[in-house]
């Protein structure tokens, strides 16, 4: 039980570890989905290929989109891409890093699905059963079958219970031939994905280590800034609601006094603490203006003392540099009476 708790805490340590855990769960789920999937080839010409390739390619596309949907950074990326310029410029390298990171994680589950499907061989057997070389593996000189009938017989290869073309080609031979090709493609796909992952992980920092570190740092900064802003807004909303409720009940005190009810002595410590958390924003219009200003004109990424408010009250106006005053030089003259 402690091991599972440690693993769960590791996944919750940061956003990247959490998303790695989600991608791993999706990869395991894709294998379970395929094992529970009831594969039924139609065994009809022109339908087998559509069904086989559809099972091979459509679920990976759905899993790829699902990987983007489950990634919390997709909304952060869209917000950063579409926000106004304001006082903070946009770095295309950071946006590319965020998108590539999400795409790499979203491709894990589709890659697992394609690998398992190719190694199993049912989809390739169903899709390309009509392309079996009868001249090499069977009896191509069958006198009683036309070309269309041969295609119809070959389309029944995945359906062993209704296959009646043993005189043309043995069912076991055709299935084994197609499954060997499918497994070869599957292992090549696994090797290709492994090689690409190795190259991306190992060679990318070697060529642009400084740019990579910069993009990763500011990507993490955007994520942390968004979390802190949400926490600050939630804390402000809690304090706002607390004071609003207290003012409501204080307004009802007049009726209670008129009814000669003895009111308990109220403490102002909680109200004072909640008022400090409001940060001077005490009405709905001001809060809406602050949120709109945060979206339109985020503060620049350099720390400095707070500037005096400009005309709009939110964006700090650029002040002329203040030069230290030069001390005045005093000259003393001494006169002699001699």
């Amino acid at each position: 039980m402690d091991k599972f708790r440690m693993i769960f805490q590791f996944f919750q340590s940061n956003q990247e570890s959490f998303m790695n855990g989600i991608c791993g769960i999706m990869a395991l789920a894709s294998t379970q989905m395929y094992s529970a999937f009831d594969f039924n080839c139609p065994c009809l010409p022109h339908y087998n290929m559509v069904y086989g390739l559809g099972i091979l390619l459509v679920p990976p596309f759905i899993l790829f989109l699902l990987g983007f949907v489950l990634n919390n950074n997709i909304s952060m990326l869209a917000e950063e891409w579409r926000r106004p310029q304001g006082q903070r410029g946009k770095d295309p390298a950071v946006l590319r890093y965020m998108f590539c990171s999400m795409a790499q994680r979203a491709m894990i589950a589709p890659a697992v699905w394609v690998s398992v499907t190719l190694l199993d061989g049912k989809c390739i057997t169903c899709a390309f059963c009509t392309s079996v070389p009868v001249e090499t593996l069977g009896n191509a000189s069958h006198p009683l079958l036309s070309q269309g009938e041969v295609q119809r017989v070959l389309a029944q290869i995945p359906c062993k219970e209704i296959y009646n073309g043993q005189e043309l080609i043995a069912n076991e031979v055709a299935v084994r031939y197609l499954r060997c090709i499918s497994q070869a493609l599957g292992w090549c796909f696994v090797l290709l994905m492994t090689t690409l992952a190795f190259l991306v992980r190992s060679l990318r920092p070697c060529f642009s280590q400084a740019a990579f570190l910069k993009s990763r740092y500011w990507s993490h900064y955007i994520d942390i800034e968004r979390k802190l802003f949400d926490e600050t807004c939630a804390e402000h909303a809690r304090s706002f609601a607390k004071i609003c409720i207290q003012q409501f009940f204080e307004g009802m005190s007049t009726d209670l006094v008129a009814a000669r009810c003895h009111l308990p002595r109220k403490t102002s410590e909680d109200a004072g603490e909640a008022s400090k958390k409001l940060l001077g924003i005490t009405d709905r219009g001001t809060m809406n203006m602050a949120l709109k200003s945060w979206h339109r004109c985020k503060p620049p990424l350099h720390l400095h003392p707070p500037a005096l408010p400009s005309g709009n009250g939110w964006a700090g106006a650029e002040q002329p540099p203040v030069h230290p005053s030069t001390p005045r030089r005093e000259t003393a003259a001494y006169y002699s009476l001699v």
Side-chain angles (χ1 to χ4, degrees):
M1 194 65 183
D2 295 336
K3 293 182 179 180
F4 287 106
R5 188 180 296 109
M6 291 176 60
I7 294 174
F8 185 72
Q9 291 176 355
F10 171 75
F11 285 153
Q12 284 189 328
S13 60
N14 53 60
Q15 183 70 15
E16 188 173 356
S17 300
F18 177 76
M19 292 313 306
N20 290 336
I22 292 295
C23 293
I25 293 174
M26 288 185 59
L28 294 176
S30 64
T31 57
Q32 294 296 325
M33 288 170 57
Y34 182 80
S35 60
F37 179 71
D38 188 12
F39 189 88
N40 292 314
C41 186
C43 296
L44 295 172
H46 309 296
Y47 289 93
N48 288 4
M49 182 171 290
V50 175
Y51 182 82
L53 295 182
I55 298 300
L56 179 65
L57 300 177
V58 173
F61 180 73
I62 297 175
L63 291 173
F64 182 73
L65 295 180
L66 187 61
F68 273 100
V69 171
L70 295 179
N71 198 323
N72 296 329
N73 292 336
I74 185 65
S75 59
M76 182 176 63
L77 175 62
E79 179 182 350
E80 183 68 16
W81 179 48
R82 295 294 300 171
R83 70 173 176 84
Q85 189 78 10
Q87 296 183 4
R88 181 185 301 181
K90 300 179 184 179
D91 191 352
V94 177
L95 299 179
R96 285 195 301 267
Y97 173 82
M98 295 170 61
F99 178 79
C100 292
S101 299
M102 288 186 292
Q104 290 174 10
R105 293 183 176 90
M107 286 179 61
I108 295 177
V112 171
W113 178 277
V114 173
S115 302
V116 172
T117 304
L118 289 177
L119 293 175
D120 185 58
K122 292 180 181 178
C123 290
I124 297 299
T125 302
C126 179
F128 299 99
C129 58
T130 56
S131 302
V132 174
V134 182
E135 299 82 0
T136 305
L137 303 177
N139 183 14
S141 61
H142 199 283
L144 302 178
L145 296 178
S146 62
Q147 186 65 24
E149 292 175 343
V150 170
Q151 293 294 317
R152 183 181 59 80
V153 172
L154 293 178
Q156 297 176 355
I157 289 177
C159 305
K160 187 176 181 180
E161 62 277 2
I162 63 173
Y163 181 70
N164 56 1
Q166 294 292 341
E167 298 179 356
L168 181 64
I169 184 173
N171 181 271
E172 293 80 4
V173 174
V175 171
R176 182 170 297 181
Y177 172 79
L178 294 172
R179 184 164 294 178
C180 288
I181 295 177
S182 178
Q183 290 178 352
L185 293 175
W187 285 115
C188 291
F189 181 78
V190 172
L191 179 61
L192 177 62
M193 291 293 103
T194 306
T195 305
L196 289 177
F198 170 76
L199 293 177
V200 169
R201 288 289 185 179
S202 60
L203 298 182
R204 183 180 61 177
C206 297
F207 292 101
S208 57
Q209 180 67 17
F212 173 74
L213 292 177
K214 183 188 69 173
S215 301
R216 186 172 62 177
Y217 175 86
W218 290 115
S219 174
H220 292 170
Y221 171 83
I222 294 173
D223 182 30
I224 295 173
E225 184 187 55
R226 185 185 184 189
K227 289 180 180 179
L228 292 178
F229 182 78
D230 292 341
E231 292 175 1
T232 304
C233 289
E235 186 177 1
H236 185 278
R238 190 180 296 108
S239 302
F240 194 96
K242 185 176 182 179
I243 294 180
C244 186
I245 293 172
Q246 289 178 353
Q247 290 180 353
F248 169 77
F249 283 103
E250 288 173 359
M252 296 293 294
S253 62
T254 304
D255 298 336
L256 295 176
V257 171
R260 295 182 180 179
C261 294
H262 297 285
L263 296 175
R265 189 174 183 179
K266 58 184 179 181
T267 59
S268 58
E269 295 181 358
D270 295 339
E273 184 179 357
S275 299
K276 293 180 180 178
K277 294 181 180 180
L278 291 179
L279 303 176
I281 302 177
T282 57
D283 62 278
R284 182 176 182 179
T286 308
M287 189 65 205
N288 292 338
M289 189 181 301
L291 295 175
K292 188 181 298 184
S293 176
W294 175 262
H295 172 70
R296 291 182 177 178
C297 189
K298 288 187 177 181
L301 294 176
H302 64 270
L303 303 180
H304 57 84
L308 295 176
S310 61
N312 56 9
W314 296 104
E318 295 185 0
Q319 301 293 335
V322 179
H323 300 283
S325 59
T326 305
R328 295 191 312 170
R329 180 180 298 176
E330 297 181 357
T331 304
Y334 297 94
Y335 299 95
S336 176
L337 299 176
V338 181

